[in-house]
Amino acid sequence: MSSIALFVLLSLLGLSSVGAEDPYLFFTWNVTYGSISPLGVPQLGILINGQFPGPNINSTTNNNIVVNVFNNLDEPFLLTWNGIQQRKNSWQDGMPGTNCPIPPGKNFTYHFQVKDQIGSFFYFPSTGMHRAAGAFGGLRINSRLLIPVPFADPADDYTVLIGDWYTKSHKDLAGLLDAGRNIGNPAGVLLNGLTGKDNAPLFTMEAGKTYRYRICNVGLKVSLNFRIQSHLMKLVEMDGSHTVQNDYESLDIHVGQCFSVLVAANQEAKDYYMVASTRFTKYSLSATGIIRYAGSVVPPSPELPKAPVGWAWSLNQWRSFRWNLTASAARPNPQGSFHYGGINITRTIRLASSVGLVDGKRRFALNGVSHVDSPTPPKLAEYYGIADKVFKYDSISDDPPATEAPITVAPNVLNATFRDYIEIILENPERSIQCYHLDGYSFFAVGMGHGKWTPAGRRTYNLQDAVSRHTIQVYPRSWSAIMLTFDNAGLWSLRSEMWERHYLGQQLYVSVVSPARSLRDEYNMPDDALLCGDVASLPKPPPYV
């Protein structure tokens, strides 16, 4: 190939070092309270531009997204972007450890790039128990036109947000937790903010065509099984990675996870139910939504497809998920060109959850420390050079305590060396399922097993084609192992996605500092960053160069 032809090809693929800036998408969001009744009971919801759920963001790889958020609530507010890696830019992550919350009556403009990402994601409020009141919505990142996708363009692309739901207000739920009580069981399950069989059709399909459904569990605590009457679902993507394309009758989708499936409209032209129902609970709750074949006047069958039973089924389904090694992701090179299994592990961190009483009130912890947010976000404290006044690094060790020591309540910040390849073991000694998410990264979910992890567990790891993703479940009295390179400088939330646990301390932040303090590795704090706590009146530090 001639040098001219090569330059033209690289330019078309968006890889040339010289060219126009990537496109911008602008949004103005007014966050307000509003009365909603998703389960037939009026309650206080949090709306974005009057919508529940919030508006979807439809973007393309490398788009710049600018969201001006006006907080019209009576309490501080933040949004976080679940699964968006915020490369070099934890300033936009929207977690209380990285950002000062938006005060009532004020606004803040998020400005981030969906750099080198594709797939299905969502956003939600990260402050308090706001997640229980709404303000969540879908966020999709489409592949650039000239990057090959491992399936034909679907006839349409639909977002399905499923999750458990409480009829108590977010303030009441927070009050229960603050008083040392638990929030109990959810009152129902929602599917795109609805629950019943009598609603109008949510989606339409034409016979003979294929459609993409992006299903995200945006709930508070319960894993859900999703299925469609009489239709198979071909899994093509999860948490931003293309997968080997297997067909499934139903899928277990755990809190914080997003799956993307193709559904062929190859059945009788009538209406069909989508079903989302609770898993691993002693109670049974479900929501339905109607898919209508174009022109149908035939209602769906009242007989809903049954959900699977037991943990073994779910674990075996997880084992069937494989990374599509030959598919391109955000770049033209195949996903499998990154051989993660051949990298030497430089550090192993075992994190075990625990629950106990502190001053008579329930707290959740990781390795004996229950995180509490400080008035000064740790990221700002680091940037301003006053970290020692706000928190203590590495208040936990890399292994769980040998005995059940009392829980310590403190900001929980773990140091990680820039560009180290680290193995993290998530241990769940309890009888209920757990789910963890890491901001700023995708990791390889290489293994799961029963009981406590030992080095022998590595013999069971998938070191070839484990799916690269951002959220992973840990089954009861079991462990899950993930691997990743900490190459994204910033401060990043590693948290339980069960929001009751998160609220009561089952989370930490990973500090990844580039020794170069260079714009090559991390952006400067934005000029419009909100300041609070001990840094509110300090002079701004010199910028990175």
Side-chain angles (χ1 to χ4, degrees):
M1 181 182 293
S2 71
S3 59
I4 295 177
L6 178 61
F7 175 80
V8 170
L9 176 61
L10 291 175
S11 299
L12 288 171
L13 292 174
L15 303 177
S16 172
S17 61
V18 179
E21 190 173 7
D22 291 300
Y24 279 73
L25 303 177
F26 293 93
F27 304 90
T28 299
W29 286 359
N30 286 291
V31 178
T32 61
Y33 292 127
S35 179
I36 57 175
S37 305
L39 294 178
V41 179
Q43 63 184 108
L44 186 70
I46 299 179
L47 314 180
I48 297 178
N49 293 350
Q51 299 179 44
F52 171 81
N56 285 323
I57 293 178
N58 187 14
S59 67
T60 299
T61 300
N62 293 346
N63 280 177
N64 293 282
I65 297 177
V66 182
V67 188
N68 192 358
V69 177
F70 288 83
N71 178 15
N72 297 296
L73 310 181
D74 59 2
E75 50 194 333
F77 182 81
L78 278 175
L79 287 171
T80 191
W81 318 90
N82 206 64
I84 304 304
Q85 293 178 12
Q86 309 288 4
R87 300 297 300 179
K88 305 194 296 184
N89 199 16
S90 64
W91 305 110
Q92 306 297 327
D93 199 37
M95 292 297 296
T98 55
N99 295 84
C100 296
I102 308 169
K106 302 296 183 180
N107 71 298
F108 174 70
T109 301
Y110 293 90
H111 182 176
F112 58 91
Q113 185 178 28
V114 287
K115 180 71 173 173
D116 291 339
Q117 288 190 261
I118 57 97
S120 310
F121 309 93
F122 66 94
Y123 61 86
F124 68 91
S126 62
T127 36
M129 289 297 289
H130 288 154
R131 184 169 176 168
F136 51 75
L139 196 170
R140 72 179 61 159
I141 308 176
N142 303 300
S143 296
R144 289 174 288 174
L145 289 177
L146 293 174
I147 301 295
V149 175
F151 49 86
D153 288 344
D156 213 333
D157 195 326
Y158 297 132
T159 295
V160 184
L161 303 178
I162 59 177
D164 54 8
W165 190 256
Y166 289 74
T167 52
K168 293 184 177 70
S169 75
H170 68 281
K171 293 183 178 181
D172 289 341
L173 293 174
L176 289 171
L177 297 176
D178 292 339
R181 300 168 62 187
N182 63 57
I183 61 175
N185 297 331
V189 173
L190 300 186
L191 193 158
N192 280 7
L194 304 169
T195 188
K197 299 179 182 179
D198 299 327
N199 295 304
L202 290 174
F203 307 116
T204 299
M205 300 197 299
E206 293 185 21
K209 295 184 178 181
T210 298
Y211 295 79
R212 184 172 184 172
Y213 289 79
R214 303 173 188 257
I215 311 119
C216 298
N217 187 335
V218 299
L220 292 185
K221 66 189 293 184
V222 179
S223 299
L224 298 173
N225 182 267
F226 181 83
R227 52 210 184 270
I228 302 174
Q229 278 181 328
S230 304
H231 290 76
L232 292 175
M233 298 178 289
K234 185 181 294 293
L235 182 66
V236 295
E237 175 257 328
M238 65 170 63
D239 290 354
S241 283
H242 291 305
T243 61
V244 171
Q245 296 178 14
N246 295 321
D247 290 327
Y248 297 90
E249 293 181 350
S250 70
L251 288 164
D252 278 353
I253 305 178
H254 307 280
V255 181
Q257 296 178 348
C258 291
F259 288 19
S260 187
V261 301
L262 297 179
V263 177
N266 56 9
Q267 300 297 308
E268 179 187 349
K270 54 181 249 183
D271 293 357
Y272 295 88
Y273 280 126
M274 299 176 287
V275 186
S277 61
T278 51
R279 286 281 274 141
F280 322 125
T281 58
K282 294 180 180 179
Y283 53 87
S284 179
L285 299 170
S286 64
T288 59
I290 294 175
I291 297 174
R292 170 162 291 173
Y293 274 57
S296 166
V297 293
V298 181
S301 166
E303 184 175 347
L304 300 179
K306 295 183 183 298
V309 177
W311 304 96
W313 185 96
S314 186
L315 178 59
N316 286 333
Q317 183 175 82
W318 173 81
R319 287 173 174 155
S320 74
F321 300 151
R322 291 289 186 267
W323 210 26
N324 189 332
L325 300 181
T326 60
S328 300
R331 292 173 176 266
N333 52 302
Q335 291 181 146
S337 60
F338 182 74
H339 302 289
Y340 67 92
I343 304 174
N344 291 328
I345 298 169
T346 55
R347 181 181 177 188
T348 297
I349 302 172
R350 290 174 55 211
L351 298 174
S353 66
S354 61
V355 59
L357 297 179
V358 177
D359 297 330
K361 296 182 179 180
R362 194 168 59 136
R363 298 290 301 186
F364 293 97
L366 290 171
N367 286 9
V369 174
S370 182
H371 175 81
V372 62
D373 291 322
S374 56
T376 306
K379 177 59 185 172
L380 288 176
E382 277 189 337
Y383 192 74
Y384 277 81
I386 61 166
D388 58 334
K389 296 181 180 179
V390 175
F391 64 91
K392 178 183 176 183
Y393 287 108
D394 298 324
S395 55
I396 62 172
S397 68
D398 285 359
D399 292 291
T403 59
E404 290 191 14
I407 290 175
T408 300
V409 178
N412 197 353
V413 181
L414 194 67
N415 251 325
T417 302
F418 188 51
R419 296 201 173 108
D420 266 8
Y421 190 67
I422 295 180
E423 171 190 44
I424 300 177
I425 313 300
L426 302 164
E427 294 186 357
N428 177 12
E430 302 176 49
R431 291 181 294 177
S432 59
I433 193 169
Q434 298 196 36
C435 212
Y436 288 90
H437 172 89
L438 177 61
D439 281 352
Y441 295 92
S442 286
F443 51 71
F444 294 97
V446 294
M448 292 184 182
H450 189 65
K452 289 187 176 181
W453 179 87
T454 67
R458 293 188 180 121
R459 293 198 293 266
T460 68
Y461 284 3
N462 176 359
L463 299 179
Q464 300 295 326
D465 57 359
V467 179
S468 175
R469 56 192 312 188
H470 54 69
T471 304
I472 192 64
Q473 72 272 19
V474 189
Y475 291 106
R477 295 174 176 170
S478 299
W479 55 266
S480 295
I482 64 175
M483 293 179 173
L484 71 153
T485 302
F486 277 94
D487 59 355
N488 190 15
L491 191 83
W492 305 106
S493 166
L494 194 165
R495 60 180 179 266
S496 171
E497 282 285 65
M498 276 76 169
W499 217 244
E500 177 179 15
R501 290 175 169 272
H502 173 273
Y503 185 91
L504 293 178
Q506 193 170 317
Q507 55 167 313
L508 56 80
Y509 286 88
V510 182
S511 173
V512 185
V513 176
S514 165
R517 291 184 62 86
S518 166
L519 287 174
R520 178 198 64 191
D521 300 324
E522 186 176 14
Y523 297 144
N524 285 309
M525 184 180 76
D527 291 336
D528 63 347
L530 299 173
L531 302 179
C532 55
D534 292 336
V535 304
S537 58
L538 293 181
K540 195 171 181 179
Y544 298 150
V545 293

